[in-house]
Amino acid sequence: MVFSAFHRSFVVVFVFLAAVLFFAEPAAGQTVAKARTPKLAASPRKCTIESELTEAEREAILADQNKARQALKLPELKWDCGLASMAQEWANAGKFRHRDDPSVGENLFVANNADQPISTVVPDWLDEKPNYDRKTGECLPDTVCTHYSQIMWRATTLVGCGINRHLSGKWIVFVVCNYSPAGNTGGPAY
């Protein structure tokens, strides 16, 4: 009987503390981490279509990202043809917006010059570094840094990219890179 009363009291206290932690408001000046999307295991995806990047372009875009990661002693990204298929499919669709798929990270690049060298893509994304607050893991106000932080996301291990050089209108070239596990899910990238 004593054990039963003790046990009930313990359960009540535990539930109360759990509720307080779950519903607690942050103190003034305190930030709350963004809710994290469950990370999917970084596993190869099925290759369905070939990336239209040449072998040299694929190697360059991977090398540029890994050089930046190496500077921060982050693990190298590996090329994943399944992610490249996803990226190529989105590039072929020609819709300059992010797809609604939280299972992968995604960086987009557009150019109005059909001869835009692939060597400008990753440096363009890395130029966002000054906009990234490493302590909070967020962009400085009124700036963009999420391309940079996706490249530098420590947990991300796989990347695949695609390109469309045949668009009409303002944007002629559209590059898409997909990442797994997705980055920018709350907290600092590295």
Side-chain angles (χ1 to χ4, degrees):
M1 184 100 169
V2 173
F3 176 76
S4 179
F6 172 78
H7 186 260
R8 279 192 299 259
S9 296
F10 178 79
V11 170
V12 168
V13 168
F14 179 79
V15 170
F16 174 75
L17 288 175
V20 167
L21 290 173
F22 183 76
F23 293 105
E25 291 288 324
Q30 184 181 21
T31 59
V32 175
K34 295 177 186 171
R36 291 184 182 257
T37 304
K39 293 194 184 213
L40 300 177
S43 59
R45 297 171 189 276
K46 193 172 184 182
C47 300
T48 54
I49 59 175
E50 288 293 318
S51 172
E52 291 185 21
L53 290 167
T54 67
E55 182 71 18
E57 289 172 328
R58 181 183 71 80
E59 289 174 6
I61 207 165
L62 182 62
D64 287 347
Q65 292 181 80
N66 280 331
K67 183 178 178 184
R69 289 174 65 89
Q70 184 179 37
L72 293 176
K73 298 181 178 19
L74 298 171
E76 281 193 351
L77 297 174
K78 304 289 184 212
W79 189 264
D80 181 86
C81 69
L83 288 172
S85 291
M86 283 182 71
Q88 188 61 53
E89 180 181 35
W90 196 247
N92 289 347
K95 300 174 186 171
F96 183 57
R97 64 176 174 79
H98 290 283
R99 82 180 88 215
D100 299 324
D101 185 352
S103 72
V104 296
E106 187 168 69
N107 279 355
L108 307 177
F109 176 90
V110 290
N112 59 8
N113 175 2
D115 298 320
Q116 183 79 27
I118 203 71
S119 62
T120 62
V121 174
V122 174
D124 185 68
W125 293 332
L126 294 175
D127 282 347
E128 296 174 0
K129 181 178 181 176
N131 303 337
Y132 182 70
D133 185 335
R134 186 175 175 183
K135 291 178 184 171
T136 65
E138 296 182 7
C139 301
L140 298 176
D142 302 319
T143 66
V144 175
C145 71
T146 51
H147 302 99
Y148 167 77
S149 56
Q150 173 56 80
I151 291 171
M152 306 309 278
W153 200 261
R154 178 180 300 278
T156 298
T157 57
L158 301 174
V159 63
C161 305
I163 190 168
N164 184 338
R165 294 182 175 95
H166 313 291
L167 297 175
S168 59
K170 182 178 180 181
W171 306 118
I172 298 171
V173 177
F174 183 27
V175 178
V176 179
C177 286
N178 288 132
Y179 301 83
S180 180
N184 298 322
T185 56
Y190 49 91

